[in-house]
Structures are given as C-alpha cells and as structure tokens.
Amino acid sequence: QVQLVESGGGLVQAGGSLRLSCAASGRTFSSYSMGWFRQAPGKEREFVAGITWTGARTTYAHSVKGRFTISRDNAKNTVYLQMNSLKPDDTAVYYCKPIYYSDNNSRPIGDSWGQGTQVTVSS
C-alpha cells in the first residue's frame, strides 16, 4: 500500500492561492487513481478532486470546480492540488488518498488517513 505525506498548506487571505503536494513512497504510485479530500471542524470529510492513473481524467466537487486543479507527476511520485480564488469556506485539513475513480462518485480506498495539511483562509 502506498504511503502519502501531504504538504503545502498554510494561512492565506481570501482570493489568494496555495498549491498542495502529496508525496508518495513506493514504486506503485502510478497504479492508483488519487484524490484530495478535506475536513473542516465539526464536518464530515468530503471529496474535493480526483485524477486517474495517467491523469487523463479529472473530477471535482462542485464547490471547487473552476478554482482548483488536480494534477500528478508519476515520475516524481507526487500529486498536486492548485487552489486559486480561495474562500473562507475552503478552510479545512486536506488529505491525499488513493481512490476508486468515478466522474461523479469517487471513493477512498481503505480506512486509514494521514495527518493532512491545514489550509486556513481568512476574510
């Protein structure tokens, strides 16, 4: 099973941008579709964006579509989330996770989660 470490979070003003990175260990990274999820205090973890094995297809939650872009570089064992036009409602801990890819209903593989990276957007 792939091991993942998220980074790139921080404090940013509304309208600003951040790029999150998810670094993977092992040699099977390219075999997985990957997704970003987020969890705000008192809320359930929710799907944000997903990308297929080769990056040929991507999918986004309605709330971030047009503002966030997921990408991957399999040679670097890394998946990214470029976040633009950030809003206070984007404040959450962001997690990277292998997924069963679906255009409309991507789901995480397995039950374990890393520590994530905190994104805080001020107004």
Side-chain angles (χ1 to χ4, degrees), residues 8 27 67 84 93 102 117 121 123:
R27 59 180 177 266
R67 300 187 298 119
N84 299 326
V93 178
S102 169
T117 185
V121 184
S123 61

Side-chain angles (χ1 to χ4, degrees), residues 10-33:
L11 175 64
V12 65
Q13 293 183 353
S17 298
L18 286 172
R19 188 179 75 163
L20 307 184
S21 297
C22 176
S25 64
R27 59 180 177 266
T28 60
F29 175 78
S30 63
S31 297
Y32 294 89
S33 295

Side-chain angles (χ1 to χ4, degrees), residues 7-8 12 15-22 36 48-49 60 64-72 79-86 90 94 119:
S7 63
V12 65
S17 298
L18 286 172
R19 188 179 75 163
L20 307 184
S21 297
C22 176
W36 286 96
V48 176
Y60 299 91
V64 308
K65 187 174 177 60
R67 300 187 298 119
F68 292 9
T69 303
I70 188 171
S71 62
R72 68 190 300 163
V79 62
Y80 305 96
L81 185 68
Q82 178 66 47
M83 306 186 295
N84 299 326
S85 301
L86 283 161
D90 295 319
Y94 284 70
V119 171

